């Protein structure tokens, strides 16, 4: 069962800034870290660092459990099911018992392990950390906050939504690119058959006149010679690549690989980076709404970045915030979010409702990101069809032009 909130007063040492940006440090008495943050905000202070006085950080850390083998999609399904049960006042033990039956084997097995661990006295967050291999620090921070304050259902719901959005982004990309990639594979196979089986039949006609052929004609026959010489290696590479793609799809890693590769493409890269910036804002806003200090929330993003290429910039934002700079100014200096999102952040800073306004900015960014990805996919498919058609068309044109040229030379 989720841990009840401890009503015993504890001492929390904090570092915070006021509305003018001046830093303050001290000790506040509260029942929990969340209550300490609320108390400081009530006094007009914005915490940038807070922790138990005289105690080590009690944040659940994963044991040595190796890399998680659970697919992100399965983890999202598990968290979504768990949030629905907990929101209906089902106990955590009973919820895990329900999820342990009638689910995929991987989800059922994980539910059973979590239930066993809870009965042995372990914390839910620590158990989740071991199950994920420590790869979901942002989600674990949300769950830990809910476990500490007694509202685990809301925390799991927030974590499930964030993970579902991340999975949805990968699925959109995979679904949108699947047909064009299959089309590209068929086209390359057709081109290979032309180079290996058809063009060599015309080689005797040009064997003694290749020097007189047009440039494109010579290139086509040269490509045919290479394809004939190395077709076993080419075929083996294609089979291995196909097998690797099928394995990655079944293991849930294909979307991650395509997303990582897509960020390097000129047109797709900005779309994916925009989507990752949206997810980062979603995590940040949710953490702040859970009364996590701004510094700690930024630290979570840096330690487990949605977009690894932005981790350094996010670390600079964290350092700037701890130095007294407003979050909106720090984000603007690093160009991490669009101007519309910065306006929302500024409103949140002025009204003292930073978490909610960041979540609203994430909603706007999600809509813009979805539209940008749809535009890319709509344009990418016909562009790929035209490109493949041109490749095959140019190859056939070069072949027949070479044959015509040979016949002209012979006369």
């Amino acid at each position: 069962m989720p841990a009840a909130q401890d009503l015993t007063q504890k001492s929390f040492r904090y570092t915070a800034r006021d509305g003018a940006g001046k830093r303050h440090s001290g000790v506040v008495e509260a029942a929990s870290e969340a209550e300490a943050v609320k108390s400081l905000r009530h006094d007009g202070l914005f915490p940038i660092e807070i922790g138990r006085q005289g105690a080590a950080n009690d944040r659940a850390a994963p044991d040595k459990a190796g890399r998680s083998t659970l697919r992100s999609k399965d983890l999202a399904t598990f968290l979504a099911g768990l949030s629905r049960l907990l929101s209906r006042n089902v106990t955590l033990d009973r919820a895990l018992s329900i999820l342990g039956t009638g689910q995929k084997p991987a989800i059922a097995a994980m539910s059973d392990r979590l239930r066993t661990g809870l009965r042995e006295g372990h914390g839910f967050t620590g158990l989740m950390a071991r199950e994920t291999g420590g790869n979901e620090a942002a989600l674990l921070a949300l769950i830990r906050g809910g476990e500490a304050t007694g509202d685990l259902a809301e925390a799991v719901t927030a974590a499930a939504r964030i993970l579902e959005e991340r999975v949805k982004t990968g699925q959109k990309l995979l679904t949108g690119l699947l047909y064009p990639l299959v089309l590209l594979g068929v086209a390359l196979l057709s081109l290979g058959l032309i180079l290996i089986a058809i063009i060599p039949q015309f080689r005797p006609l040009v064997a003694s006149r290749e020097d007189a052929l047009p440039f494109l004609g010579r290139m086509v026959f040269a490509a045919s010679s290479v394809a004939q010489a190395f077709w076993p290696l080419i075929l083996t590479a294609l089979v291995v690549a196909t097998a690797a793609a099928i394995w990655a799809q079944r293991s849930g890693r294909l979307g991650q690989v395509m997303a990582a590769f897509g960020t390097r493409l000129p047109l797709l890269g900005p779309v994916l980076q925009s989507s990752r910036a949206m997810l980062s804002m979603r995590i940040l806003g949710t953490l702040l709404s859970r009364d996590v200090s701004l510094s700690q929330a930024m630290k979570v993003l840096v330690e487990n970045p949605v977009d690894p290429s932005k981790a350094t910039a996010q670390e600079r934002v964290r350092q700037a915030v701890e130095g007294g700079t407003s979050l909106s100014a720090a984000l603007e200096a690093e160009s991490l979010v669009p101007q519309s999102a910065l306006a929302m952040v500024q409103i949140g800073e002025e009204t003292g409702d930073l978490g909610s306004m960041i979540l609203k900015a994430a909603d706007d960014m999600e809509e813009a990101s979805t539209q940008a990805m749809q535009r890319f996919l709509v344009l990418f498919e016909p562009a790929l069809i035209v490109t493949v058609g041109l490749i095959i068309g140019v190859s056939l044109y070069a072949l027949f032009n070479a044959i015509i040229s040979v016949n002209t030379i012979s006369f």
Side-chain angles (χ1 to χ4, degrees):
M1 294 180 60
Q5 183 173 351
D6 187 1
L7 299 180
T8 304
Q9 295 291 306
K10 305 179 183 67
S11 298
F12 293 88
R13 181 168 295 280
Y14 69 87
T15 302
R17 61 180 178 84
D18 57 23
K22 184 178 179 181
R23 291 172 66 93
H24 299 267
S25 299
V27 178
V28 61
E29 299 291 330
S32 66
E33 182 177 321
E35 291 297 325
V37 172
K38 289 181 181 179
S39 176
L40 291 171
R41 288 183 175 178
H42 181 268
D43 295 336
L45 298 176
F46 298 90
I48 58 178
E49 193 76 41
I50 189 167
R52 283 280 304 278
Q53 184 178 19
N57 192 349
D58 62 350
R59 177 165 304 184
D63 294 336
K64 297 179 180 179
R67 184 174 182 177
S68 172
T69 58
L70 192 68
R71 298 171 57 180
S72 295
K73 183 178 180 180
D74 291 337
L75 182 58
T77 301
F78 167 78
L79 289 177
L82 183 61
S83 69
R84 285 193 293 269
L85 291 170
L86 294 178
S87 63
R88 288 168 173 79
N89 297 322
V90 179
T91 64
L92 181 57
D93 183 81
R94 177 58 181 160
L96 292 174
S97 176
I98 295 173
L99 292 174
T101 59
Q103 296 286 340
K104 290 183 178 180
I107 298 177
M110 184 180 71
S111 300
D112 290 338
R113 289 194 299 270
L114 290 172
R115 190 182 182 202
T116 300
L118 287 173
R119 292 186 171 185
E120 292 175 352
H122 299 290
F124 181 67
T125 307
L127 294 171
M128 284 296 299
R130 288 194 291 270
E131 291 294 334
T132 61
N135 295 326
E136 299 290 350
L139 303 184
L140 293 175
L142 294 176
I143 295 173
R144 171 183 172 269
E147 188 179 20
T149 58
D151 54 354
L152 184 61
E154 294 183 9
V156 173
T157 299
R161 183 182 179 188
I162 290 173
L163 185 56
E164 285 175 339
E165 287 179 350
R166 195 172 68 193
V167 171
K168 189 187 303 181
T169 299
Q171 288 179 336
K172 285 180 180 178
L173 177 63
L174 178 60
T175 302
L177 295 181
L178 185 59
Y179 173 72
L181 290 176
V182 171
L183 179 65
L184 178 61
V186 173
L188 292 176
L189 181 61
S190 301
L191 182 61
L193 290 175
I194 292 173
L195 292 175
I196 296 173
I198 298 177
I199 292 181
Q201 298 182 17
F202 295 92
R203 184 173 296 279
L205 299 176
V206 300
S208 59
R209 305 179 182 90
E210 288 192 16
D211 294 340
L213 293 178
F215 174 76
L216 285 178
R218 294 198 301 272
M219 291 299 98
V220 167
F221 281 103
S224 176
S225 299
V226 172
Q228 274 192 305
F230 296 101
W231 73 263
L233 293 177
I234 297 174
L235 182 60
T236 301
L238 289 175
V239 171
V240 171
T242 302
I246 294 174
W247 172 84
Q249 193 278 330
R250 291 181 176 177
S251 63
R253 294 183 174 89
L254 183 58
Q256 299 174 4
V257 173
M258 293 183 65
F261 175 74
T263 54
R264 303 179 182 180
L265 298 179
L267 297 178
L268 182 58
V271 176
L272 293 178
Q273 289 177 355
S274 175
S275 177
R276 291 179 174 183
M278 177 273 296
L279 286 176
S280 296
M281 290 291 282
R282 177 83 66 196
I283 293 172
L284 179 61
T286 305
L287 288 170
L288 294 177
S289 298
R290 307 291 306 167
D291 291 323
V292 177
S293 67
L294 180 56
S295 177
Q296 289 291 344
M298 289 301 306
K299 186 177 296 184
V300 169
L301 287 180
V302 172
E303 292 174 351
N304 190 46
V306 178
D307 186 354
S309 65
K310 301 297 183 182
T312 302
Q314 289 174 347
E315 172 63 18
R316 289 196 292 265
V317 170
R318 186 186 71 83
Q319 293 175 356
V321 168
E322 290 186 356
T325 305
S326 66
L327 177 61
S328 58
L331 290 174
E332 184 176 15
E334 299 296 336
S335 301
L336 289 178
V337 296
Q339 288 296 325
S340 58
L342 287 175
M344 291 288 190
V345 175
Q346 290 173 346
I347 293 173
E349 290 173 331
E350 292 294 331
T351 61
D353 192 16
L354 186 58
S356 297
M357 295 310 297
I358 289 179
L359 288 176
K360 291 181 180 179
D363 290 337
D364 294 340
M365 293 172 65
E366 180 182 7
E367 183 178 354
S369 177
T370 300
Q371 293 176 354
M373 183 170 292
Q374 289 175 345
R375 285 195 299 267
F376 169 79
L377 294 175
V378 167
L379 295 175
F380 178 75
E381 184 175 328
L384 182 60
I385 293 174
V386 171
T387 301
V388 171
L390 286 175
I391 293 174
I392 295 178
V394 169
S395 300
L396 293 177
Y397 168 78
L399 172 62
F400 290 114
N401 187 38
I403 295 172
I404 294 173
S405 299
V406 169
N407 291 334
T408 302
I409 294 171
S410 64
F411 288 102

